[in-house]
Amino acid sequence: MKKNIQWILSVLLVLVVLVLVRTFNPNLFKRNVNEALTSSNEMTFAVQNLSALKDDYSIVELDAENQHFPNSVMIPFDQLLETESKEKLTSLDGKILLYSNNIATSSKAWVILNQLEFEEVYVLSDEENPEELKYKFQPDTTIRLE
């Protein structure tokens, strides 16, 4: 009987320690929301502002259907991790601007390339500020406060 209690207490102690480690882990959330919003605004360029960009840049189009920009490099999103595609990206000079009809595709490619440690990679967007909230918050009126 005493061994069973010791076994149960040791399991509970291990669980408590694991919960505490998980709760107080400083790496659980690496950045707060304000920093994430700031970095998302810094990683995005609008197509309308391309003419004002003074640095060298290359546009990488991720849609396989058709080319929107002259002199852009075509790398379909589903081929982004292939060796030939990575070699093309490595050979580009200046900033790499990722463009797709769907900004979610460009954002996914941005995350992938950042994980592969590519420098100066940005998302090229049709909108001035795609991260801006477009709808006014309206609380649910059917729920009453207690």
Side-chain angles (χ1 to χ4, degrees), residues 15-128:
L15 285 175
V16 167
V17 168
L18 289 174
V19 167
L20 288 174
V21 166
R22 170 102 171 129
T23 303
F24 294 110
N25 184 359
N27 296 323
L28 191 58
F29 298 105
K30 295 188 187 224
R31 299 185 326 187
N32 66 28
V33 175
N34 291 332
E35 290 176 12
L37 287 174
T38 302
S39 69
S40 68
N41 288 335
E42 292 171 359
M43 70 166 219
T44 307
F45 279 104
V47 172
Q48 297 85 352
N49 299 335
L50 264 181
S51 60
L53 190 60
K54 304 227 185 299
D55 300 332
D56 289 339
Y57 65 89
S58 299
I59 299 175
V60 175
E61 296 201 43
L62 303 168
D63 297 326
E65 296 91 39
N66 53 9
Q67 196 167 1
H68 294 88
F69 300 97
N71 302 326
S72 65
V73 177
M74 294 290 293
I75 300 176
F77 179 74
D78 58 348
Q79 297 173 8
L80 192 61
L81 294 176
E82 292 182 6
T83 306
E84 300 154 7
S85 301
K86 288 193 253 182
E87 288 172 358
K88 275 186 193 177
L89 290 168
T90 305
S91 68
L92 296 175
D93 293 328
K95 297 181 180 191
I96 299 173
L97 306 177
L98 304 170
Y99 179 80
S100 175
N101 288 333
N102 184 355
I103 194 164
T105 303
S106 301
S107 299
K108 290 175 196 174
W110 181 81
V111 170
I112 291 169
L113 293 178
N114 268 332
Q115 292 297 318
L116 293 174
E117 297 181 344
F118 278 89
E119 298 290 326
E120 295 194 80
V121 179
Y122 301 91
V123 172
L124 186 59
S125 171
D126 290 326
E127 302 174 23
E128 287 282 335

